[in-house]
Amino acid sequence: MISSVLAQGKPICFGRDGCRRQRRCAFVNSSGYELSSFPLDYPEAIKQARESTESALDDGFELLEVEFPTSCLDAVAGDAEGANEMTYSSEYLRSFSRLFLDRADRTRIFFPDKKEMELQREVGPWSQTNFQLDYFTKPSGFLDIGVDISGYDPSEHVDDQDELFIAAYPSFDPRELVAADKVFQCARKKFQQDGRRRPLIFFNAELDRLRSNYYPGLFYPEMSRLSKEMMPLVESAYYIHNFKGAGGGVLFRAYPGPWQVLLRINKEEVLVVHTQDERPSLKEVALNVLPKAALEYRRQLR
């Protein structure tokens, strides 16, 4: 189902301190069901992400994506320095993971590498936790030139008692996503043995790089394989992607709702201009949906 709508929200705050304020929206699409409101701030975004993830897990999905900008809810990639984005992601993940407090000792969280895990365990928000903290890669000088002589395999850390895995922002090094796939494949093998599903949640993994062929298959054959084999299995439980410019807007989804395209009218207003059940490509939104919506909006103002 595809629907185009123009509905305007009402004012309320949006974003981290220092970010502009936004109007809160509650919309109904042409089929008559209510759409999720775009979050007014990070606490609401995390709350929505928890609820959407819980619904997707209840529906049996094994690979989930939770993706949103970390420096500000209207930010785009590159707006914040990489280390700061990792710090923000860790803080938001700590809040998000409260959804799994009842099984914290059976939830394994993989950080990008061993140094990041140790840093979070020592001075980060994870210094006191019952969650099982782990890592995808071991940093070394050889890794810097693309050679891994450690033989490290994170799937060997998977315990029979584990019930859930979270891949914490594995977006810096392609090997982190390859490692995440190894963990997922290990979980599937264990399911064949004991019948217990062990879902994996990608938290701010920038999976759009795999969707857009960011990694040339000739030089990154493993990433090409993940694009073809793993990505079709990923369900976007919660997703925010911003587009800047004169026809700027947002691609937004909170499971089980449809995909929404929001047009930014000014610093205080957004319009829902398009909804559909299937995920649109970022290229389609940027080059087709948003420009047409901006033209239609200006036409209606005349």
Side-chain angles (χ1 to χ4, degrees):
M1 188 279 298
I2 298 177
S3 174
S4 293
V5 294
L6 283 174
Q8 189 165 338
K10 298 184 178 180
I12 201 164
C13 66
F14 162 60
R16 293 171 64 94
D17 291 342
C19 292
R20 59 177 178 254
R21 302 302 172 185
Q22 189 87 4
R23 293 196 173 191
R24 179 179 175 82
C25 308
F27 306 108
V28 177
N29 80 341
S30 59
S31 297
Y33 56 81
E34 185 173 335
L35 306 180
S36 298
S37 300
F38 191 76
L40 57 88
D41 53 22
Y42 274 103
E44 182 172 12
I46 297 300
K47 180 176 182 293
Q48 289 180 336
R50 287 195 206 114
E51 294 171 349
S52 298
T53 299
E54 187 172 31
S55 295
L57 290 173
D58 288 344
D59 286 344
F61 289 102
E62 295 182 272
L63 269 180
L64 297 179
E65 172 187 33
V66 173
E67 183 77 32
F68 55 86
T70 57
S71 60
C72 184
L73 282 176
D74 64 353
V76 298
D79 277 2
E81 195 274 327
N84 289 336
E85 289 189 342
M86 292 176 67
T87 299
Y88 297 150
S89 281
S90 179
E91 294 171 354
Y92 297 138
L93 176 56
R94 186 71 166 118
S95 179
F96 170 80
S97 66
R98 291 172 187 165
L99 173 63
F100 311 112
L101 283 177
D102 61 337
R103 46 174 161 170
D105 60 338
R106 302 182 301 281
T107 297
R108 190 171 297 275
I109 300 176
F110 286 90
F111 288 92
D113 57 50
K114 188 176 182 180
K115 288 184 179 179
E116 175 68 9
M117 181 204 70
E118 291 173 343
L119 177 65
Q120 295 299 327
R121 176 177 283 167
E122 293 172 5
V123 298
W126 301 89
S127 56
Q128 295 182 341
T129 181
N130 290 326
F131 287 97
Q132 305 302 305
L133 304 188
D134 221 307
Y135 55 93
F136 281 136
T137 64
K138 279 185 175 181
S140 73
F142 289 100
L143 279 179
D144 292 339
I145 59 174
V147 178
D148 184 1
I149 62 174
S150 68
Y152 173 71
D153 184 351
S155 66
E156 295 177 356
H157 291 200
V158 174
D159 189 270
D160 289 341
Q161 301 305 311
D162 290 342
E163 295 182 1
L164 178 75
F165 306 106
I166 299 178
Y169 42 95
S171 59
F172 178 74
D173 188 325
R175 283 177 289 261
E176 296 161 8
L177 289 177
V178 174
D181 181 60
K182 289 182 179 180
V183 170
F184 177 62
Q185 296 304 328
C186 177
R188 299 187 93 179
K189 289 180 181 179
K190 286 185 177 295
F191 169 71
Q192 295 174 354
Q193 298 169 359
D194 59 21
R196 293 171 49 222
R197 295 188 183 278
R198 298 170 174 84
L200 186 148
I201 301 170
F202 286 106
F203 191 89
N204 282 347
E206 297 187 20
L207 296 181
D208 284 326
R209 293 180 179 179
L210 291 177
R211 295 187 181 97
S212 63
N213 297 316
Y214 175 87
Y215 301 101
L218 179 63
F219 302 104
Y220 296 92
E222 279 294 279
M223 304 307 282
S224 178
R225 178 185 66 80
L226 294 183
S227 296
K228 297 174 182 177
E229 298 178 4
M230 184 185 77
M231 290 307 297
L233 304 177
V234 176
E235 180 69 18
S236 295
Y238 194 75
Y239 182 91
I240 296 174
H241 182 96
N242 291 294
F243 302 84
K244 290 195 172 181
V250 189
L251 178 59
F252 174 55
R253 201 260 177 132
Y255 183 91
W259 290 87
Q260 304 177 46
V261 179
L262 312 179
L263 176 68
R264 293 193 187 278
I265 304 306
N266 53 46
K267 293 184 177 181
E268 295 183 344
E269 294 177 292
V270 293
L271 304 178
V272 172
V273 295
H274 182 84
T275 67
Q276 67 181 66
D277 293 333
E278 297 298 321
R279 179 194 194 100
S281 70
L282 298 182
K283 183 177 180 180
E284 172 70 10
V285 174
L287 300 183
N288 185 18
V289 180
L290 282 173
K292 287 183 178 180
L295 285 174
E296 175 63 17
Y297 176 74
R298 288 195 292 268
R299 186 189 67 81
Q300 291 186 14
L301 290 180
R302 293 172 186 165

